[in-house]
Amino acid sequence: MVDAYYPGSLAEALELRTERGAIPFAGGTDLMVKYRRPAGVLPELPGPVVLLGHLDELARITEEGGILHIGAAVPLSVIESDRRLPYLLRSSASQMASPALRNVATLGGNIGNASPAGDGICALAALDARLRIAGSQGSRSISLEEFITGPGTTLLREDELITEITLRPSDCTRVFYRKVGTRKANALSKLSVCADAAVQDGVITDIRIALGAVAPKVLRMKDIEESLRGSTPEELSERIPDVLAAYEKHIRPIDDQRSTARYRKTAALRLAEEFLRNLSEEENRE
């Protein structure tokens, strides 16, 4: 048996984290898999849990001063249907798990699990998301990129909780999301590619590309992105081979039960190329 605490507020939840070392439990969809045991045997959690899914402070989506605030315990089913949120994020949420699981699974849990294959993490990385972290010593803001340090590891301290995800509404009109898996949904990704771009007057003003499950963390190469800003479609088309060669040097996938490293690398590069060529060709047609 595992002790479970049902706090009445975020402040109480933080007290339980600090005093009892309680494990955060919102939807529990990643947590139950992480600590699962053989069929017919209950998962063996390493300590008490603090339930978070019912807390209003963590279950809201608001917009203030041009910044979107997504509570860490907002279910994926709400995220996929909220049109205030960037299409890239809604698309990734719509293909995570099954419809039933999306009613309880959360972005906060996806981030806390810190899997390189996390679909929500890949989309949020492309959107330059930041996290609000609350703890016994106060709150802090940190970029998602900095927060996740490797497979399954983060900078979250034992007295802290992820309370919200913040991001700016995207003005990118060219959006690309591909999840490669055994099935479109209800299956973990073999890899994913999340990318978007903005084009004004025939010039690429913004471009972001995130590759999931091809390295210890979601892969973004901001130096490459910066070099492509200000390019024309023709210039982009000429640079695609060099861009892909730069990505290839940093793609370091693994073999596991879902896929092979060779497949992941080949598919990721081809999907990145598809995005870049579509962007170039679309602008040329205009």
Side-chain angles (χ1 to χ4, degrees):
M1 296 293 292
V2 174
D3 290 334
Y5 298 100
Y6 192 86
S9 65
L10 176 59
E12 186 180 350
L14 289 170
E15 289 180 10
L16 290 165
R17 276 285 280 163
T18 303
E19 297 173 5
R20 306 280 183 175
I23 302 167
F25 190 110
T29 54
D30 281 326
L31 199 62
M32 299 301 278
V33 171
K34 183 176 181 178
Y35 295 108
R36 66 184 173 186
R37 293 196 290 171
V41 181
L42 293 175
E44 186 174 11
L45 300 174
V49 299
V50 54
L51 304 175
L52 304 171
H54 63 287
L55 295 177
D56 289 340
E57 300 101 315
L58 305 180
R60 295 188 292 247
I61 299 177
T62 59
E63 185 174 359
E64 300 175 15
I67 303 294
L68 291 163
H69 299 258
I70 307 170
V74 173
L76 296 178
S77 58
V78 174
I79 289 171
E80 69 174 305
S81 62
D82 192 320
R83 299 187 67 84
R84 292 174 296 177
L85 302 179
Y87 179 74
L88 185 60
L89 179 58
R90 290 187 280 124
S91 294
S92 66
S94 71
Q95 294 187 37
M96 293 170 65
S98 66
L101 287 178
R102 289 198 293 272
N103 286 327
V104 292
T106 66
L107 271 186
N110 198 234
I111 294 167
N113 194 46
S115 168
D119 293 315
I121 296 173
C122 189
L124 289 170
L127 293 166
D128 289 322
R130 295 187 64 83
L131 308 177
R132 175 63 62 179
I133 310 294
S136 60
Q137 303 302 313
S139 64
R140 59 190 174 113
S141 176
I142 185 172
S143 69
L144 174 70
E145 181 180 20
E146 182 182 357
F147 178 75
I148 296 176
T149 57
T153 61
T154 72
L155 294 181
L156 190 72
R157 296 193 287 262
E158 292 184 357
D159 65 334
E160 291 183 321
L161 291 170
I162 303 170
T163 59
E164 67 177 21
I165 301 98
T166 62
L167 49 87
R168 294 185 179 277
S170 175
D171 60 357
C172 293
T173 56
R174 277 66 174 180
V175 179
F176 183 94
Y177 174 66
R178 295 289 187 276
K179 170 181 176 175
V180 180
T182 308
R183 295 181 296 275
K184 184 175 182 180
N186 204 25
L188 293 174
S189 295
K190 295 181 179 181
L191 66 111
S192 56
V193 177
C194 298
D196 57 15
V199 180
Q200 295 181 1
D201 300 324
V203 174
I204 298 168
T205 58
D206 197 5
I207 183 169
R208 292 169 290 191
I209 304 171
L211 308 179
V214 298
K217 296 170 52 175
V218 170
L219 177 63
R220 269 192 72 184
M221 296 183 61
K222 294 186 178 181
D223 55 338
I224 295 295
E225 296 171 4
E226 183 60 32
S227 73
L228 294 176
R229 295 187 181 104
S231 300
T232 65
E234 291 80 6
E235 291 168 340
L236 172 62
S237 179
E238 293 173 358
R239 292 193 56 192
I240 288 175
D242 290 337
V243 170
L244 295 176
Y247 275 98
E248 185 174 10
K249 293 178 182 178
H250 291 83
I251 292 176
R252 304 193 308 275
I254 62 171
D255 293 317
D256 61 18
Q257 67 271 25
R258 295 196 304 277
S259 189
T260 65
R262 180 180 179 183
Y263 176 83
R264 284 188 166 109
K265 187 171 189 175
T266 300
L269 288 170
R270 288 183 177 175
L271 288 172
E273 180 179 9
E274 180 183 346
F275 167 68
L276 293 170
R277 293 205 180 279
N278 286 349
L279 178 61
S280 173
E281 292 169 3
E282 182 178 350
E283 292 308 309
N284 277 321
R285 286 196 297 269
E286 294 181 359

